[in-house]
Amino acid sequence: MLAAVGLYGATAATAAAPLTVAQAISQQNGASATVRGYVVGQPTATTTVVRSNYPSDYALALADSASETGTSRMLYVQISSAFRSAWGLKTNPSLLGKQIDVTGSLSAYFSHAGLTSSTAFAFASTTPPATTTTTTTTSPPPSGDYYAAAAGKTGPALKTALNGIIRNQTKLGYDQVWEALKVTDEDPANPANVVLLYSGRSQPKTSNGGGADDWNREHVWAKSHGDFGTATGPGTDVHHLRPEDVSVNADRGNKDFDNGGTARAEAPGNYGDADSWEPRNAVKGDVARMLFYMAVRYEGTDGFPDLELNNSVSNGTQPYHGRLSVLLQWHQQDPPDPFEQRRNQVIYDRFQHNRNPFIDHPEWVTAIWS
């Protein structure tokens, strides 16, 4: 998803030869990669790339040849906010024709083969650009005693045991969530920023609020699914709250999760329709594991709704979320990565002092919902 960060400290990036544009186009799997190519213009639509009068600094197109004109042989690069002043074509039109290296996620942009959530830019050289790393101060995960009550259990017995473990938490107020997200979702490549869940954009921590391009608090388990609002409890549980662009948050609304729909212009790689939302590949598993956590943590025994997963995409205000069969697929497709693991650790160390067991033990998902 992001630049590699060790779970308990910094890990040096392993230098590797950059992908060609052709290779990047054929490997649209959400993985992080460095791609080398010539800047050939700015994409403004799926089949449109302009070479002058650039409308913004938000995107550029790369190709294996500086003279390439066929958009099917171009890679569309989303320029994260931290890099726009230096690498956007509106501000830097002289970049046209230059060969550069860009690191990001191999995911569709403008419904076209792309590179999103960019974390590094450099002019091409014989040495790939170094990936920025961030040193964390989190402690190792708890000893086996943390999950001792779950040992050897499966099915409903495992679910009950995990609930007994993770319900022991410090509960945050909704205002405290702002500050927590600035830590839990910090961009490993830029500590002044957070990474937005669906759009993948790196954005200044200070730009939180209610404006059109601000980020706000996305409830991955939609708060209307159980009508728990933002009161302390499930409405403020940071294990399922993530930073997201205000308008993208509104676009997702309270939809269930499923595959399909139309591409969302402000959130490349995401799709939506009237009743469901499909997140980008790099966070599909993250979304699934957040919902698995919520369905185990909130069992209706401590004054909060009994949240459960089902296979519906029309749950409305019922305390259910779907589609379970698709969430199970996403969990397998996108296993926990260093960003997600670090986030789990930070929540445990600094905020709620409980964990998402499905990040620590992905195998427990099928043990409960097989």
Side-chain angles (χ1 to χ4, degrees), residues 259-270:
N259 290 316
T262 57
R264 316 320 281 178
E266 285 194 80
N270 293 253

Side-chain angles (χ1 to χ4, degrees), residues 5-348:
V5 177
L7 180 51
Y8 317 121
T11 301
T14 302
L19 298 179
T20 65
V21 169
Q23 289 171 327
I25 290 172
S26 68
Q27 297 179 32
Q28 293 288 290
N29 56 12
S32 178
T34 298
V35 181
R36 177 169 294 177
Y38 293 93
V39 178
V40 291
Q42 179 176 1
T44 57
T46 303
T47 58
T48 304
V49 172
V50 298
R51 293 176 60 86
S52 61
N53 299 318
Y54 306 110
S56 71
D57 288 327
Y58 286 30
L60 56 79
L62 294 181
D64 286 325
S65 167
S67 60
E68 182 62 70
T69 58
T71 57
S72 64
R73 292 180 294 278
M74 295 179 185
L75 187 74
Y76 290 1
V77 176
Q78 178 189 35
I79 306 175
S80 299
S81 57
F83 301 103
R84 290 171 189 163
S85 61
W87 297 94
L89 282 167
K90 183 176 182 179
T91 303
N92 308 278
S94 62
L95 286 172
L96 188 70
K98 299 292 195 299
Q99 190 180 38
I100 66 173
D101 292 330
V102 187
T103 302
S105 175
L106 295 166
S107 301
Y109 189 41
F110 282 99
S111 301
H112 183 285
L115 192 72
T116 61
S117 308
S118 49
T119 59
F121 283 76
F123 287 107
S125 66
T126 56
T127 303
T131 303
T132 304
T133 60
T134 297
T135 300
T136 70
T137 56
T138 55
S139 37
S143 69
D145 289 343
Y146 183 79
Y147 290 120
K153 294 181 171 64
T154 60
L158 175 59
K159 189 172 184 235
T160 298
L162 292 176
N163 171 262
I165 295 167
I166 65 177
R167 64 185 290 169
N168 297 310
Q169 70 185 92
T170 298
K171 299 181 179 68
L172 305 181
Y174 201 43
D175 285 343
Q176 292 176 290
V177 170
W178 285 122
E179 297 310 311
L181 293 181
K182 293 176 183 178
V183 181
T184 61
D185 290 75
E186 181 178 290
D187 184 347
N190 184 351
N193 286 12
V194 291
V195 178
L196 308 188
L197 175 64
Y198 302 130
S199 56
R201 192 168 72 237
S202 178
Q203 184 156 322
K205 293 177 178 178
T206 54
S207 65
N208 62 303
D213 292 317
D214 291 340
W215 63 269
N216 62 4
R217 297 157 291 187
E218 155 72 345
H219 290 76
V220 177
W221 187 293
K223 58 184 181 287
S224 64
H225 290 228
D227 196 26
F228 51 73
T230 58
T232 298
T236 64
D237 195 317
V238 184
H239 277 296
H240 86 114
L241 287 163
R242 301 293 292 266
E244 187 47 70
D245 177 271
V246 168
S247 53
V248 174
N249 191 342
D251 190 18
R252 185 260 158 149
N254 69 345
K255 297 180 178 75
D256 288 281
F257 292 97
D258 198 3
N259 290 316
T262 57
R264 316 320 281 178
E266 285 194 80
N270 293 253
Y271 299 85
D273 55 26
D275 57 16
S276 69
W277 183 268
E278 178 185 349
R280 60 194 176 100
N281 289 338
V283 298
K284 279 184 163 70
D286 306 50
V287 166
R289 285 179 286 275
M290 284 185 274
L291 296 188
F292 296 145
Y293 164 88
M294 293 293 283
V296 168
R297 166 60 187 88
Y298 298 99
E299 292 281 65
T301 56
D302 53 0
F304 303 119
D306 180 7
L307 305 181
E308 297 294 344
L309 295 166
N310 64 15
N311 228 31
S312 172
V313 290
S314 57
N315 283 306
T317 60
Q318 300 176 93
Y320 306 127
H321 230 302
R323 182 181 301 264
L324 175 58
S325 59
V326 172
L327 296 172
L328 292 170
Q329 292 170 7
W330 291 353
H331 169 66
Q332 296 295 331
Q333 173 185 335
D334 174 38
D337 64 11
F339 185 90
E340 190 180 1
Q341 291 165 332
R342 174 194 172 275
R343 188 177 197 276
N344 194 32
Q345 188 68 35
V346 170
I347 293 171
Y348 177 78

